[in-house]
Amino acid sequence: MSARSDAGSGSKTTSDLVVERLLEWGVDTCFGICGDQINGFFEALRTHPQMRFVHVRHEEAAALACVGYAKFTGRPAACVATAGPGAVHLLNGLYDARIDGAPVIAVTGLSYHDTIGAHFLQDLPSDRLLEHACLFSERVMGPAHAVPATDLAVRSALMNRTPSHLAIPIDVQSFTLEQDTPSPKNVPGHLSLAGQRFTVVPPEDQLRRAAEVLNGCRRVAICAGAGARGAGDLLEQVADVLGAPIVKAGLGKDCVPDDSPYTTGGMGLIGTRASHEAFERCDGFLVVGSSTPYYEFWPEPGQARGVQIDLNADRIGMRYPVEVGLVGHADAVLASLLPLLRRKSDRSFLEQAQDTYRRWWDLIGEQAAGSGTPMRPQVVTWELSKALPDNAIVTGDAGTVTAWGGRLRLRRGMQYSFSGTLCTMGSALPYAIGAQCAHPDRPVIAFTGDGSMSMGMGELATLAQYGLPVKVVVLRNNALALEVWEQTALLGNPQMGCELHPVDFAAVARACGLKAFRIDAPAEAAGVFAEAMAFDGPCLVEAVTDPDEAPFGESLQPAHAAHLAEAFGKGEPAARDMARNLLQEKRVALSPALQQHYDDLARYR
């Protein structure tokens, strides 16, 4: 390659070619931060205004915004960062994309092409650094390589639902086609933008075998995960034919609405008693697009005959010893399976699940009706559920807010997602930024906690800078409250290292240029949420809540209740308030674990 000064003023650079090819693929939004070793790429962003650039405050937020964009569209956005620390900061968001199956395109800088590995400033090999997080991670070798590399990156992201990465040395970013000589193998005109959409349906004999299994069972339970998103109507039709309750893994929360007559809500420690009861009693088990790590709440191996639907063949039988695996897209597989199923005349299994689910919602409503302060988080979820606009997109976060997000009552047409498998804190707001950029006409709500919000407060300024009308709801309890309950209920130890210094999030939001509200008492919640949702612009609602309210209780297993009693006996400082909240009469009535260990816990109340 010749020196940059040899290039003509109208020549296209490597960066121009990458940006233009991304645009041709329909990738028209880029989140990131500029820096010395990526600034050649930023010149291409400057001269291609068709590529919308969103300047975030942290590179991790850029990658997480891409994940939010992809989860609510199915299409990739791009994130861009400088070499060294910029690339390292992307890593967490890219792993979130890899684990949860979101297509993302990452572009990072590198040191000069002839100083790589020579211990220069920020000289980290980002192509190798990100290669485990990104299924495709390659170094762009020059302008002649720019378009082929971009094509392969986009195709890999779309086909495999994973992040892809292009690493470009700082000088190569500004080299032009005239400064590069294509190899004989790089034949002009050999590339195209041909589509690659496809639908996978298993063979007819496997579908018939699956139908035989399900038709031969009396009490079928369905577990639906992220792979069931977009197939909700068919899922409900199958549930109706089989008389089967639909239990939702965390990432499948929006596959059917929470007021569907077939769902029993979530599962796992943050799930519902109705869901666990369905799993405990079923003799047939249909898993649709879920490989949840909380499969210890699933039916016992050998208890139920199993059928699993998953697009990833390597996940068949990974969590449960199913008899039949159906590899394919959930909507296509369910559509093919449905005509082969026989309608079950006995509806008692579904009806009992529906009754327990109603009782669980009655409990949540009773908890939300309390007038005490600090208020229970159930007040927030109850009133926010009523205030959510139609067609809303809600992004959740990691912490006790994950459990409370599961108690938001989504109506038909609403969408919800969060960092489900990586469980990265601070993801709700970047997800919401990506979702709002993808859907400017839809209401977007970020539902987060104070631990996660304090990790990424700078992105409030991103909302203000671009006028993104995201509504941020922060549950403030001045604690890493999920860790309190995990240390006690999972390990039997008193809490340690969970206290948070109080932050006035409403004041921070105002300082960033947002409208802000604060809820201190239950009576204020309905009015504040109505005003916040009606506000035409970004705003934040800070809700002060009780840190000692259990994010689970009716969903505890006996070992968890025993661990709580053990932690209380070791001197857990919040034992009195935790026990009081746990042992609410209607909660105990729904929880065999609390009934079994009631006396052990009640002594601390």
mmCIF file of all heavy atoms in Angstrom, residues 207-223:
data_model
loop_
_atom_site.group_PDB
_atom_site.id
_atom_site.type_symbol
_atom_site.label_atom_id
_atom_site.label_comp_id
_atom_site.label_asym_id
_atom_site.label_seq_id
_atom_site.Cartn_x
_atom_site.Cartn_y
_atom_site.Cartn_z
ATOM 1 N N LEU A 207 -42.901 -35.139 13.114
ATOM 2 C CA LEU A 207 -44.086 -34.423 13.572
ATOM 3 C C LEU A 207 -45.148 -35.401 14.060
ATOM 4 O O LEU A 207 -45.798 -35.165 15.095
ATOM 5 C CB LEU A 207 -44.639 -33.552 12.442
ATOM 6 C CG LEU A 207 -43.797 -32.327 12.067
ATOM 7 C CD1 LEU A 207 -44.224 -31.785 10.708
ATOM 8 C CD2 LEU A 207 -43.918 -31.240 13.134
ATOM 9 N N ARG A 208 -45.321 -36.501 13.348
ATOM 10 C CA ARG A 208 -46.325 -37.485 13.752
ATOM 11 C C ARG A 208 -45.923 -38.173 15.057
ATOM 12 O O ARG A 208 -46.775 -38.433 15.924
ATOM 13 C CB ARG A 208 -46.530 -38.515 12.643
ATOM 14 C CG ARG A 208 -47.189 -37.909 11.400
ATOM 15 C CD ARG A 208 -47.702 -38.958 10.432
ATOM 16 N NE ARG A 208 -48.377 -38.323 9.310
ATOM 17 C CZ ARG A 208 -49.625 -37.853 9.341
ATOM 18 N NH1 ARG A 208 -50.342 -37.974 10.454
ATOM 19 N NH2 ARG A 208 -50.150 -37.287 8.287
ATOM 20 N N ARG A 209 -44.641 -38.452 15.218
ATOM 21 C CA ARG A 209 -44.169 -39.041 16.473
ATOM 22 C C ARG A 209 -44.421 -38.084 17.640
ATOM 23 O O ARG A 209 -44.849 -38.506 18.730
ATOM 24 C CB ARG A 209 -42.685 -39.371 16.386
ATOM 25 C CG ARG A 209 -42.352 -40.627 15.572
ATOM 26 C CD ARG A 209 -40.857 -40.860 15.562
ATOM 27 N NE ARG A 209 -40.312 -40.957 16.904
ATOM 28 C CZ ARG A 209 -39.097 -40.541 17.258
ATOM 29 N NH1 ARG A 209 -38.300 -39.975 16.360
ATOM 30 N NH2 ARG A 209 -38.669 -40.680 18.505
ATOM 31 N N ALA A 210 -44.154 -36.804 17.423
ATOM 32 C CA ALA A 210 -44.397 -35.816 18.479
ATOM 33 C C ALA A 210 -45.870 -35.741 18.828
ATOM 34 O O ALA A 210 -46.241 -35.668 20.018
ATOM 35 C CB ALA A 210 -43.880 -34.446 18.024
ATOM 36 N N ALA A 211 -46.723 -35.754 17.808
ATOM 37 C CA ALA A 211 -48.161 -35.706 18.056
ATOM 38 C C ALA A 211 -48.628 -36.936 18.826
ATOM 39 O O ALA A 211 -49.480 -36.839 19.727
ATOM 40 C CB ALA A 211 -48.905 -35.591 16.725
ATOM 41 N N GLU A 212 -48.078 -38.097 18.515
ATOM 42 C CA GLU A 212 -48.443 -39.316 19.233
ATOM 43 C C GLU A 212 -48.092 -39.200 20.720
ATOM 44 O O GLU A 212 -48.872 -39.625 21.591
ATOM 45 C CB GLU A 212 -47.728 -40.525 18.620
ATOM 46 C CG GLU A 212 -48.259 -40.936 17.250
ATOM 47 C CD GLU A 212 -47.410 -42.019 16.613
ATOM 48 O OE1 GLU A 212 -46.479 -42.520 17.299
ATOM 49 O OE2 GLU A 212 -47.657 -42.361 15.442
ATOM 50 N N VAL A 213 -46.930 -38.638 21.008
ATOM 51 C CA VAL A 213 -46.534 -38.462 22.404
ATOM 52 C C VAL A 213 -47.507 -37.543 23.119
ATOM 53 O O VAL A 213 -48.025 -37.864 24.204
ATOM 54 C CB VAL A 213 -45.094 -37.913 22.494
ATOM 55 C CG1 VAL A 213 -44.776 -37.489 23.931
ATOM 56 C CG2 VAL A 213 -44.090 -38.946 22.014
ATOM 57 N N LEU A 214 -47.771 -36.389 22.545
ATOM 58 C CA LEU A 214 -48.627 -35.399 23.209
ATOM 59 C C LEU A 214 -50.076 -35.870 23.279
ATOM 60 O O LEU A 214 -50.763 -35.624 24.279
ATOM 61 C CB LEU A 214 -48.532 -34.057 22.469
ATOM 62 C CG LEU A 214 -47.138 -33.414 22.485
ATOM 63 C CD1 LEU A 214 -47.097 -32.206 21.570
ATOM 64 C CD2 LEU A 214 -46.728 -33.027 23.897
ATOM 65 N N ASN A 215 -50.541 -36.538 22.234
ATOM 66 C CA ASN A 215 -51.916 -37.054 22.254
ATOM 67 C C ASN A 215 -52.078 -38.162 23.286
ATOM 68 O O ASN A 215 -53.183 -38.402 23.787
ATOM 69 C CB ASN A 215 -52.302 -37.575 20.867
ATOM 70 C CG ASN A 215 -52.501 -36.453 19.862
ATOM 71 O OD1 ASN A 215 -52.830 -35.331 20.221
ATOM 72 N ND2 ASN A 215 -52.301 -36.761 18.585
ATOM 73 N N GLY A 216 -51.000 -38.837 23.630
ATOM 74 C CA GLY A 216 -51.063 -39.930 24.595
ATOM 75 C C GLY A 216 -50.974 -39.479 26.040
ATOM 76 O O GLY A 216 -51.052 -40.325 26.945
ATOM 77 N N CYS A 217 -50.805 -38.198 26.278
ATOM 78 C CA CYS A 217 -50.697 -37.659 27.648
ATOM 79 C C CYS A 217 -52.009 -37.029 28.071
ATOM 80 O O CYS A 217 -52.747 -36.468 27.255
ATOM 81 C CB CYS A 217 -49.571 -36.634 27.716
ATOM 82 S SG CYS A 217 -47.947 -37.304 27.294
ATOM 83 N N ARG A 218 -52.300 -37.063 29.364
ATOM 84 C CA ARG A 218 -53.532 -36.479 29.891
ATOM 85 C C ARG A 218 -53.335 -35.043 30.347
ATOM 86 O O ARG A 218 -54.241 -34.224 30.250
ATOM 87 C CB ARG A 218 -54.046 -37.325 31.064
ATOM 88 C CG ARG A 218 -54.494 -38.723 30.670
ATOM 89 C CD ARG A 218 -54.916 -39.555 31.873
ATOM 90 N NE ARG A 218 -55.910 -38.855 32.683
ATOM 91 C CZ ARG A 218 -55.765 -38.601 33.980
ATOM 92 N NH1 ARG A 218 -54.654 -38.964 34.620
ATOM 93 N NH2 ARG A 218 -56.723 -37.974 34.651
ATOM 94 N N ARG A 219 -52.142 -34.719 30.864
ATOM 95 C CA ARG A 219 -51.904 -33.396 31.451
ATOM 96 C C ARG A 219 -50.603 -32.839 30.860
ATOM 97 O O ARG A 219 -49.516 -33.121 31.359
ATOM 98 C CB ARG A 219 -51.798 -33.483 32.975
ATOM 99 C CG ARG A 219 -53.037 -34.052 33.647
ATOM 100 C CD ARG A 219 -52.869 -34.120 35.160
ATOM 101 N NE ARG A 219 -51.729 -34.948 35.545
ATOM 102 C CZ ARG A 219 -51.739 -36.264 35.614
ATOM 103 N NH1 ARG A 219 -52.847 -36.934 35.353
ATOM 104 N NH2 ARG A 219 -50.651 -36.931 35.961
ATOM 105 N N VAL A 220 -50.735 -32.045 29.811
ATOM 106 C CA VAL A 220 -49.568 -31.494 29.120
ATOM 107 C C VAL A 220 -49.301 -30.078 29.621
ATOM 108 O O VAL A 220 -50.223 -29.258 29.713
ATOM 109 C CB VAL A 220 -49.779 -31.473 27.594
ATOM 110 C CG1 VAL A 220 -48.574 -30.840 26.892
ATOM 111 C CG2 VAL A 220 -50.014 -32.892 27.072
ATOM 112 N N ALA A 221 -48.048 -29.804 29.951
ATOM 113 C CA ALA A 221 -47.610 -28.442 30.282
ATOM 114 C C ALA A 221 -46.648 -27.976 29.194
ATOM 115 O O ALA A 221 -45.864 -28.760 28.664
ATOM 116 C CB ALA A 221 -46.914 -28.407 31.635
ATOM 117 N N ILE A 222 -46.714 -26.694 28.864
ATOM 118 C CA ILE A 222 -45.860 -26.100 27.839
ATOM 119 C C ILE A 222 -44.899 -25.130 28.508
ATOM 120 O O ILE A 222 -45.310 -24.324 29.349
ATOM 121 C CB ILE A 222 -46.697 -25.343 26.782
ATOM 122 C CG1 ILE A 222 -47.644 -26.304 26.066
ATOM 123 C CG2 ILE A 222 -45.792 -24.640 25.775
ATOM 124 C CD1 ILE A 222 -48.652 -25.599 25.162
ATOM 125 N N CYS A 223 -43.624 -25.197 28.148
ATOM 126 C CA CYS A 223 -42.656 -24.179 28.560
ATOM 127 C C CYS A 223 -42.215 -23.434 27.310
ATOM 128 O O CYS A 223 -41.672 -24.040 26.374
ATOM 129 C CB CYS A 223 -41.452 -24.798 29.252
ATOM 130 S SG CYS A 223 -40.241 -23.551 29.800
#
